[in-house]
Amino acid sequence: MAVDVIMPQMGESIFEGTITKWLKKPGDKIERDEPLFEISTDKVDAEIPAPAAGVLKEIKVTEGQTVPIQTVVAVIDAAGAAAAAAPPAVAKAEAARPVAVPPPTSAKPEATKPASVLPPPPKAAPAPGEAQRAGGNGDKIRTSPLVRRIARENQIDLAHVPGTGAGGRISKRDILAAIEGGSAAASAPAPPTPTPSAAREVGLPRERIYFGHYEVQPMSIMRQKIAEHMVLSKHTSPHVYSVEEANVSAVVALRAKNKERFERESGTKLTFMPFFIRATVEALRAFPTVNASVDGTNIVLHKECNIGIAVALDWGLIVPVIKNAEEKNFYGLARSVNDLAERARSKKLKPEEVADSTFSITNPGVFGGLMGLPVINQPNAAILGLGTIEKRPVVVDDAIGIRSMVYLTLSYDHRVVDGAIAHQFMGHIKHILENWTEPIL
């Protein structure tokens, strides 16, 4: 019995995926739920398990190809016992029907979010052509919320953007191509969103790039997506930066004293990150403007503190999210950050675990960086950068002392956050770190 392997939908707003690696080759035996291939989407990289046991008969989509969800990417010759167990008519019908790929084994049903007690936000005006195609024929444009947002921010009429996805769906690649190519889709003059290729074509001649001895390494799918997101963020938000220095000697001493006991009793490592997350959450509650997003002329103030934590991977960067961090105690934060980081590195994250952040933290200090000025993780209004913790001479009560110090940097969207709020926010974090009182065990 032949079983079709399809490109799964790894999230509500995801409509395509890129196969980055096949873990099996035609002729290989495979068990049900054994990892079969790896994919990369707008939100997450993941291993996809086999929907049935048998032999991999055919690979229809090669590595590096991007295809819509529900596309048949391979065919498995399932075990003969499965076919023999079913009546002939049923077996024939089952063979003709594609079998959906089950979600990764670590997936759990997404929790239903409680209904908001706040009045619904005012609806932003749709992008030109967003509701239906040009010509008044009433055909709805098939695309994702991400594409609609990009179109709105760049004043692109989606009615004039050709879709290359299934059923004419407009993908992110289509809208970026329209922006880069100066498509007639623009309903009003607007600066195009620069992309890595546009930077070369518009600003730099090839001879300024290819000279002397060099090696060309094509960007991975994840690196391409990081590049797109970073360029889009700089194009969207007017970045402003604030820097603060904090004395974390008390935190360093507390961690050193309780590190072994914490790991023994909780089963998870005690890092510095939970301290910074806890201080950040309290500061976000004190200054809610920083815990916000922008939708046109509306400021969306988030009630939850969903903290995105940048995790460096050997092949790129990903930002898993600790949902409702304000509801977790210190132990809960420590366990959450370690669990998400571990599963990010093993490609076991679920799409919902890299979505819906309201604020982000990145830690270049773990690699020895004195400080960093990170790019805002859209659609957040700000991101906190953590420098390395090191002992430095400082003035303490009119005397020179040696203390464990750290630089904190805040990159923020000046459309939402002003300098006064940013520095008060940073001062709040500094005060909590320097006067830590919360028990960690």
Side-chain angles (χ1 to χ4, degrees):
M1 179 178 69
V3 176
D4 288 339
V5 181
I6 67 171
M7 175 64 72
Q9 183 169 15
M10 298 295 290
E12 183 180 353
S13 62
I14 298 177
F15 300 99
E16 63 183 12
T18 301
I19 293 183
T20 55
K21 183 178 181 181
W22 282 100
L23 304 176
K24 297 289 183 178
K25 60 182 183 295
D28 286 353
K29 291 184 179 179
I30 188 168
E31 299 296 328
R32 179 182 174 85
D33 295 331
E34 183 180 0
L36 179 57
F37 60 98
E38 296 179 357
I39 67 170
S40 180
T41 71
D42 284 344
K43 293 185 176 180
V44 70
D45 283 6
E47 290 182 345
I48 305 302
V55 175
L56 182 58
K57 181 179 180 181
E58 180 184 4
I59 290 177
K60 292 180 173 289
V61 178
T62 59
E63 294 179 357
Q65 280 189 270
T66 301
V67 295
I69 60 172
Q70 304 304 317
T71 297
V72 177
V73 299
V75 178
I76 293 176
D77 185 7
V90 175
K92 183 176 180 181
E94 291 295 324
R97 186 177 65 186
V99 178
V101 177
T105 54
S106 61
K108 297 179 181 178
E110 184 174 1
T112 303
K113 295 183 179 180
S116 172
V117 296
L118 299 174
K123 294 184 178 179
E130 185 172 326
Q132 56 187 19
R133 289 282 183 188
N137 58 15
D139 293 337
K140 292 200 172 185
I141 293 177
R142 302 181 63 195
T143 187
S144 67
L146 172 63
V147 170
R148 290 195 292 272
R149 177 171 62 81
I150 295 175
R152 184 166 57 247
E153 291 171 348
N154 291 274
Q155 297 181 322
I156 296 295
D157 187 349
L158 289 175
H160 298 292
V161 178
T164 60
R169 178 179 295 279
I170 301 173
S171 67
K172 185 177 73 172
R173 183 169 53 187
D174 296 329
I175 186 65
L176 291 177
I179 295 170
E180 179 182 344
S183 167
S187 59
T193 300
T195 63
S197 59
R200 174 179 61 77
E201 294 172 3
V202 176
L204 294 174
R206 295 177 68 90
E207 57 267 23
R208 291 281 303 279
I209 301 174
Y210 297 93
F211 57 87
H213 300 286
Y214 60 84
E215 176 185 354
V216 177
Q217 294 183 347
M219 284 187 177
S220 66
I221 299 301
M222 172 174 278
R223 178 52 55 189
Q224 292 179 40
K225 295 183 185 301
I226 290 173
E228 292 173 2
H229 294 166
M230 296 300 97
V231 171
L232 178 63
S233 181
K234 296 292 284 190
H235 175 72
T236 301
S237 299
H239 283 56
V240 184
Y241 309 95
S242 293
V243 181
E244 186 61 84
E245 187 178 26
N247 179 351
V248 290
S249 298
V251 168
V252 170
L254 182 63
R255 175 177 177 268
K257 179 181 178 180
N258 295 281
K259 184 178 179 180
E260 292 183 2
R261 179 187 169 193
F262 187 92
E263 185 170 352
R264 184 173 61 251
E265 294 185 3
S266 68
T268 192
K269 292 182 178 180
L270 177 59
T271 67
F272 286 112
M273 184 58 76
F275 293 93
F276 290 107
I277 296 175
R278 167 60 70 212
T280 298
V281 167
E282 294 305 315
L284 290 173
R285 296 173 72 176
F287 300 94
T289 306
V290 185
N291 197 45
S293 300
V294 178
D295 179 25
T297 57
N298 296 322
I299 297 176
V300 181
L301 300 174
H302 301 288
K303 300 303 180 182
E304 300 88 1
C305 292
N306 296 342
I307 309 298
I309 306 296
V311 177
L313 308 172
D314 291 340
W315 56 94
L317 179 75
I318 198 167
V319 186
V321 181
I322 300 177
K323 304 288 180 68
N324 298 106
E326 76 281 1
E327 297 178 358
K328 297 181 183 294
N329 60 14
F330 185 91
Y331 164 70
L333 291 176
R335 185 167 185 172
S336 293
V337 71
N338 291 338
D339 171 62
L340 288 173
E342 180 180 347
R343 288 192 292 112
R345 297 185 179 102
S346 60
K347 298 185 178 181
K348 300 297 183 184
L349 289 174
K350 301 185 286 292
E352 60 268 23
E353 292 176 322
V354 291
D356 300 333
S357 67
T358 63
F359 184 89
S360 299
I361 300 176
T362 183
N363 184 17
V366 73
F367 303 107
L370 185 63
M371 68 172 69
L373 300 175
V375 177
I376 296 170
N377 181 32
Q378 297 293 330
N380 300 168
I383 180 172
L384 180 70
L386 309 177
T388 188
I389 297 174
E390 63 179 9
K391 290 185 177 181
R392 291 197 288 271
V394 294
V395 177
V396 181
D397 297 329
D398 293 332
I400 301 295
I402 305 299
R403 298 291 186 270
S404 294
M405 308 297 292
V406 63
Y407 284 111
L408 309 174
T409 61
L410 185 72
S411 305
Y412 52 98
D413 189 333
H414 211 343
R415 297 177 300 172
V416 185
V417 183
D418 293 327
I421 295 297
H423 283 284
Q424 291 178 73
F425 173 81
M426 295 285 276
H428 200 93
I429 294 177
K430 172 185 171 79
H431 177 79
I432 292 175
L433 293 173
E434 292 185 342
N435 301 274
W436 188 271
T437 58
E438 181 178 349
I440 65 174
L441 286 170

